Amino acid sequence: MPLPAPPASYTAAVERYLTGAGIAKSSARICRISLTAWGWMLAGEPAPTGPARRSAKPPLFPVTAIDDSALPGVLAELAAARANEMDADTVNRELSIARKAIGWWQRQGWIEGDPTIGIERRPAPPDRTKALTQNQIAALWRLDVALREKTQRKMLYESAARADKVLRLNVEDLYPQDKRGRITAKGGATEWIHWQSGTAQLLPCLIARRTRGPLFLTDRKAPAGTPTLDVCPETGRARLSYRRAGEIFEENTRLLANPLASPEDIEDLDGWTLHRLRHSALTHDAEDGTSTPMLLARSRHASVRSLERYARPGVDSVTRHVAERDPAARRRT
């Protein structure tokens, strides 16, 4: 089959990628913003930063210009300057999105080279993710979301397990009477996650008499070529991916994460990440006096040092601790 002719412009190539590569609608917005920023750098110009980044328009140039032999050197300088102005997570996410698009364009035969080769990811800052407060967790449970999302989030918080491990669970891995499930750790070792009544009450409705296959499923039938282990043999639907679960959670929690934002601005703001549920669960356990050995068992960390960032009490906990030990307050009671 002859390869399709390249689009007339970079903008058209971006749109063809977003539709042709199967990018979810919820991800397309972020991808378009990132590819617009990279479009300016691929055109040899500094990319917009700050508030202008989200509303910027891409420059006009043919996608074939990406093969310009002088571009890699110019691009490296522009990318380095941009990395000095923005946080490492954003820079790395944009670079990853750009490389995926460039790879897709290469497979279409529209371009030959990858000018991002040689541009390195920036070291991520230390993980200082803040735990959600108890009030924020309570607000999360009040959201009107589908049963799949309710169950998944309850299980993540109650088990303090990593999201990728929970999403790899199969129905046959569950032991509902014991409120636990079997997961596979690094190296193939078997480990267990444990949940509470909130998850236990939701699981029967989610499973709906299924006896095997992925626990958390997509809404549609699995596309051709999906690995057999990731397809439910009873419904034909695919295993819910970490990326899609994270997108839904981020979208659902934008208003909770930005309670003072106006409705017209909420689309341009970020919600919470799935990792914050695990972080919050372990932090709340530590605040309630859970012992270090139990926290290690719950988190499945190998060392106390790895656990330190989770066991740091939150602001609300410190405030309560100080207030409870205030001599004046004790005299009043």
Side-chain angles (χ1 to χ4, degrees):
M1 295 290 292
L3 294 172
S9 67
Y10 173 80
T11 303
V14 169
E15 295 305 319
R16 293 275 290 276
Y17 164 68
L18 295 178
T19 55
I23 305 297
K25 288 184 179 180
S26 55
S27 300
R29 180 182 66 91
I30 298 298
C31 289
R32 190 176 286 108
I33 292 172
S34 297
L35 291 173
T36 295
W38 268 87
W40 283 100
M41 293 192 289
L42 291 169
E45 300 288 341
T49 57
R53 169 176 166 265
R54 294 182 180 274
S55 58
K57 302 296 182 183
L60 294 175
F61 68 95
V63 69
T64 52
I66 292 176
D67 281 330
D68 186 338
S69 60
L71 182 58
V74 175
L75 192 62
E77 293 183 5
L78 291 170
R82 183 173 177 78
N84 291 332
E85 298 179 12
M86 303 186 69
D87 64 275
D89 288 339
T90 299
V91 168
N92 291 338
R93 181 177 67 247
E94 288 186 344
L95 176 60
S96 176
I97 290 172
R99 281 178 169 161
K100 288 178 181 178
I102 288 170
W104 192 83
W105 295 331
Q106 286 176 316
R107 292 191 292 276
Q108 309 313 306
W110 300 344
I111 59 175
E112 294 182 1
D114 179 356
T116 69
I117 292 177
I119 298 177
E120 297 182 355
R121 292 172 59 86
R122 293 286 165 166
D127 183 357
R128 302 196 186 281
T129 306
K130 294 181 180 179
L132 302 174
T133 66
Q134 295 285 4
N135 286 338
Q136 288 175 316
I137 292 293
L140 178 65
W141 301 151
R142 291 194 295 268
L143 287 179
D144 184 14
V145 296
L147 175 64
R148 179 186 66 190
E149 275 63 56
K150 286 183 180 179
T151 310
Q152 172 201 120
R153 295 164 191 181
K154 278 283 187 180
M155 182 177 286
L156 285 172
Y157 180 72
E158 292 182 351
S159 68
R162 292 181 174 87
D164 60 330
K165 298 297 183 184
V166 167
L167 291 167
R168 295 303 302 174
L169 280 171
N170 290 332
V171 175
E172 57 267 35
D173 295 326
L174 307 181
Y175 291 74
Q177 292 182 339
D178 298 326
K179 296 180 183 176
R180 65 179 183 177
R182 181 181 58 221
I183 61 174
T184 302
K186 292 180 180 179
T190 296
E191 292 184 349
W192 298 89
I193 63 172
H194 304 262
W195 53 80
Q196 297 169 326
S197 298
T199 302
Q201 292 170 0
L202 295 169
L203 274 175
C205 296
L206 179 72
I207 296 171
R209 299 183 179 180
R210 290 186 289 132
T211 59
R212 55 194 178 125
L215 175 60
F216 297 104
L217 301 172
T218 56
D219 296 324
R220 300 179 180 179
K221 296 288 185 181
T226 303
T228 303
L229 293 177
D230 290 331
V231 178
C232 174
E234 300 175 24
T235 66
R237 291 185 285 160
R239 185 188 304 278
L240 182 67
S241 69
Y242 179 88
R243 186 187 74 173
R244 181 60 185 142
E247 290 171 349
I248 295 172
F249 187 65
E250 189 273 336
E251 184 176 340
N252 289 167
T253 57
R254 285 175 191 165
L255 188 56
L256 296 181
N258 306 278
L260 301 181
S262 60
E264 57 269 20
D265 293 335
I266 202 68
E267 288 293 323
D268 293 329
L269 299 174
D270 295 328
W272 296 330
T273 63
L274 288 173
H275 176 70
R276 294 190 72 172
L277 288 176
R278 168 177 165 83
H279 189 112
S280 302
L282 294 171
T283 299
H284 296 162
D285 272 3
E287 291 173 348
D288 290 340
T290 302
S291 67
T292 298
M294 184 57 70
L295 285 174
L296 283 172
R298 286 262 287 155
S299 67
R300 289 161 293 280
H301 279 112
S303 67
V304 174
R305 185 171 183 177
S306 301
L307 185 65
E308 285 178 353
R309 64 178 181 269
Y310 298 101
R312 186 180 294 112
V315 174
D316 289 350
S317 178
V318 174
T319 301
R320 187 170 59 251
H321 174 85
V322 173
E324 289 172 351
R325 287 156 178 78
D326 185 342
R330 289 181 180 179
R331 285 195 294 271
R332 286 196 297 269
T333 57

